[in-house]
Amino acid sequence: METDEDQRVIPFQLQFDKPVASQIKIAEWNPEKDLLAMVTEDSKILLHRFNWQRLWTISPGRCITSLCWRPDGKAIAVGLEDGTVSLHDVENGKLLRSLKSHTVAVVCLNWEEDGHLIRDDNGNISTYEDRTSCFFPPAPRVPRMPGVVSGDTGFMDDNEDSFQELSNSSHQRFNILCSGDKDGSICFSIFGIFPIGKINIHKFCFPTPLVGTQATYRLLNASIYKVALSKDLCHLIVMCSGELIEDNDASRDRRTAGHGMHGLHSLMLDTSIFWKRKNELHQVAQQASNIEDLTEVIRASLSVMCKQWSDAMHTFHEKFDPLSTLIIDHGLDSSPQEEFLSLLGGARTSPPVHQFLVNSLGEVGAKRVSKVVCGAGKELQLIVLNHLQPAAEIIGFRMGELRGLSRWRARYQGVGLDETLINNATEKAGMLLVQVERFMRVLSSVVQQFSNFFNWLLKCIKLLMSEPSDQLLPYNSELAVIFLKFLYDQDPVRKLLELSEADCDIEIELETMQRVKELVHFGGFLDCEYLRRTLAKEFQQMESSFKEAFLMPFSTISEKILCENLLPLFSLPSSPASTSFPVPTSISYYEDSSHAMSSNQTSQNSFIDYISFQIPEESFPEIANCIGIARGFMNDLISVKKGYSSLEAVLLGVPDGYHCVDLSLYKESQIVLLLNETTSSEGSGDACMMIVQANDLPFVSISRSTSLDYWMLHQLKI
């Protein structure tokens, strides 16, 4: 008879093979959903369910070097060979954001969130409320460029909600995305979108783990393998290879000669600034990342507007430039504007104008050009009203919020929010709104004059063809004169939209400039030259001021990330090829069961780190085919200072006939090894998965007080 427990057992279901065009080189499980993301050798990302149903496939067009999931499983970060980190939506693979934080290949990614609710100084749970929605409608989207597929510009289309979720991080737990490149640089970004720090492990001076000595060490030619933030965001463990050199005058000669301990090392960095200032960093990142999103809306709006207006003007000149050729062919020494003015003044129509209006342009051509130009003007007005202006207004509001935070020096100067820089950026945001208003006036005037010019031109064509013109719209002769004198061969709209190499300053009367300078004395702004700038130039200045203001938190946090501890793991061959030596490694943090019942246990001590790595036979021929696992590195520094080590280690022997190709530390303190059968033939052997419980392993305390050389590894083998 079956028991209730037997009935609850769900048997495994065998899934059929799904062939792929290329070998899989990276695979990552979604932390919250039944999804597996895989990267093939030809740099395609495949997303499958556990039942092997493929959801989507995308190809970034560049070599993919690393992959990781956002902690809630709703987005995936992809590291590329050119140093870009791109974020993709889990639902459809669309590109959400691209960050160019590195200059070389991103070899590892780690995305960790704060496992505890944010509390204020009194211990109360505090949540950051984004007040923008109380005063403004939903933020505008990036306008679509005609002929461009949505997502190609780096942002979602209008039908997707993921873009808003990515930028609106007020409801998310505080999280940090870490990315390491092959040159030893590690970048940090809040919510994966706001860069907040960058370090290089080559520049660190590592304290010695030996008791009673003051020696310090540096790493040369370091290559990063793995990075992993602790659950409380206070520490970062880095596994890297490199040459460990004592940092003193006597060792500098040896350093240049290439002498030192070359091997795999584990570093522990102090990132406690993320925990200590997470309330402040959360709010700054919330405002800054949204401002960056809105800045992209303005940039795309200007780009779309410039293209649409440029296309319209191209159509206008394409139709009207032949008039100059006709004038020359008839032997006249005149210009199209003068010929049109002569026609407008009631003088006799010249043969080239008659031929142009009746034969070359015609009524249909005039109506088509009028529709194109006036239609483009209306499209530009809609883009300004629906995208550019709302984005500029919300930016102004968010900068006002940051301005208020920057005045709270006791809390926000600690994260680098500088009041002077924020004030300057706030002023530039206000100036942009002034430029938007001016642009709308210029655009409206130009479109009106174009429309009036074409109404007059259609009337002339009808008269020349002896057709009734009563149904045509009326025109204003004075506006037609102004158009011919000032707008026929000039383009003030494009001048406001384009950034060119030439001087794009706008001429302003001295009297107007004097009034602006007088207004500065009343306060509110310090910039007297904003009237001389175009809309594009004003946007460029605003964007530059934002980068300068947000660089301060980036620089401040970077300086506060220091190296606390160093653990040499084993030596590696010092040949040039060893810099890219493939060593399977993994870092994870499990809840410490020995402290699980302690009510006053801090988040820092409630988790214990596990570092696992394959020991290459080239380093230890006597210990063949073994996996090394160390735990307690994060909390070992205090113990070493007290004269003992709390670090523990164990060696796992891989079964004969197999070799490890990948390893990972899984949930519930499980260590998973992917093993391939060793075969002498060219054909591939069988593969299997080996799972061991980390807590059940016979860990042995190891001493770190004798030398910096590797441990007595053969004594640990089980």
Side-chain angles (χ1 to χ4, degrees), residues 179-223:
S179 56
D181 65 33
K182 67 177 184 179
D183 282 352
S185 293
I186 302 173
C187 295
F188 304 88
S189 57
I190 301 176
F191 306 119
I193 56 179
F194 178 59
I196 196 60
K198 184 174 184 178
I199 57 173
N200 192 297
I201 59 176
H202 295 103
K203 299 179 180 179
F204 278 127
C205 185
F206 305 111
T208 177
L210 308 183
V211 179
T213 63
Q214 299 296 325
T216 56
Y217 296 82
R218 290 186 182 275
L219 272 177
L220 298 181
N221 304 318
S223 180

Side-chain angles (χ1 to χ4, degrees), residues 484-500:
L484 291 168
K485 283 187 174 182
F486 303 107
L487 293 178
Y488 183 86
D489 57 356
Q490 297 183 24
D491 193 349
V493 174
R494 187 171 183 176
K495 182 179 180 182
L496 291 173
L497 290 175
E498 275 193 342
L499 275 175
S500 61

Side-chain angles (χ1 to χ4, degrees), residues 146-215:
V148 176
V149 178
S150 176
D152 290 351
T153 58
F155 283 81
M156 302 292 291
D157 62 25
D158 296 338
N159 298 324
E160 303 294 343
D161 296 327
S162 299
F163 169 79
Q164 185 139 5
E165 185 201 346
L166 183 74
S167 60
N168 184 16
S169 50
S170 58
H171 65 282
Q172 295 183 32
R173 286 182 182 268
F174 185 71
N175 60 69
I176 303 285
L177 174 63
C178 304
S179 56
D181 65 33
K182 67 177 184 179
D183 282 352
S185 293
I186 302 173
C187 295
F188 304 88
S189 57
I190 301 176
F191 306 119
I193 56 179
F194 178 59
I196 196 60
K198 184 174 184 178
I199 57 173
N200 192 297
I201 59 176
H202 295 103
K203 299 179 180 179
F204 278 127
C205 185
F206 305 111
T208 177
L210 308 183
V211 179
T213 63
Q214 299 296 325

Side-chain angles (χ1 to χ4, degrees), residues 503-531:
D503 186 13
C504 57
D505 287 350
I506 298 174
E507 293 184 4
I508 302 294
E509 308 93 20
L510 292 176
E511 183 180 353
T512 303
M513 288 304 301
Q514 185 60 36
R515 289 179 181 176
V516 171
K517 292 178 180 178
E518 291 173 358
L519 288 174
V520 171
H521 297 292
F522 291 95
F525 68 97
L526 300 175
D527 187 1
C528 301
E529 297 294 321
Y530 67 94
L531 290 177

Side-chain angles (χ1 to χ4, degrees), residues 510-663:
L510 292 176
E511 183 180 353
T512 303
M513 288 304 301
Q514 185 60 36
R515 289 179 181 176
V516 171
K517 292 178 180 178
E518 291 173 358
L519 288 174
V520 171
H521 297 292
F522 291 95
F525 68 97
L526 300 175
D527 187 1
C528 301
E529 297 294 321
Y530 67 94
L531 290 177
R532 297 187 187 275
R533 293 193 290 269
T534 65
L535 177 60
K537 185 68 174 178
E538 196 66 61
F539 170 71
Q540 187 183 54
Q541 290 217 355
M542 182 191 76
E543 190 178 23
S544 177
S545 68
F546 288 166
K547 289 180 179 178
E548 186 180 11
F550 298 144
L551 184 62
M552 281 294 292
F554 181 90
S555 302
T556 302
I557 298 299
S558 299
E559 293 172 356
K560 295 182 179 180
I561 299 175
L562 304 173
C563 182
E564 279 191 332
N565 206 350
L566 164 70
L567 175 64
L569 299 176
F570 56 79
S571 62
L572 283 172
S574 57
S575 61
S578 64
T579 55
S580 58
F581 195 83
V583 179
T585 58
S586 183
I587 309 170
S588 189
Y589 302 88
Y590 295 146
E591 189 169 353
D592 190 356
S593 58
S594 62
H595 297 91
M597 302 303 293
S598 176
S599 58
N600 359 342
Q601 194 74 19
T602 65
S603 61
Q604 176 178 342
N605 296 322
S606 61
F607 287 89
I608 187 168
D609 57 275
Y610 283 77
I611 303 171
S612 63
F613 48 90
Q614 183 179 9
I615 300 175
E617 296 181 9
E618 292 83 353
S619 300
F620 300 95
E622 72 278 8
I623 308 177
N625 213 11
C626 284
I627 303 297
I629 303 174
R631 70 177 182 185
F633 177 45
M634 188 170 63
N635 298 319
D636 188 54
L637 183 62
I638 299 176
S639 303
V640 170
K641 291 179 179 179
K642 293 180 179 179
Y644 64 92
S645 172
S646 62
L647 187 68
E648 297 178 311
V650 68
L651 290 186
L652 293 180
V654 176
D656 293 336
Y658 289 87
H659 67 278
C660 179
V661 294
D662 193 19
L663 54 89

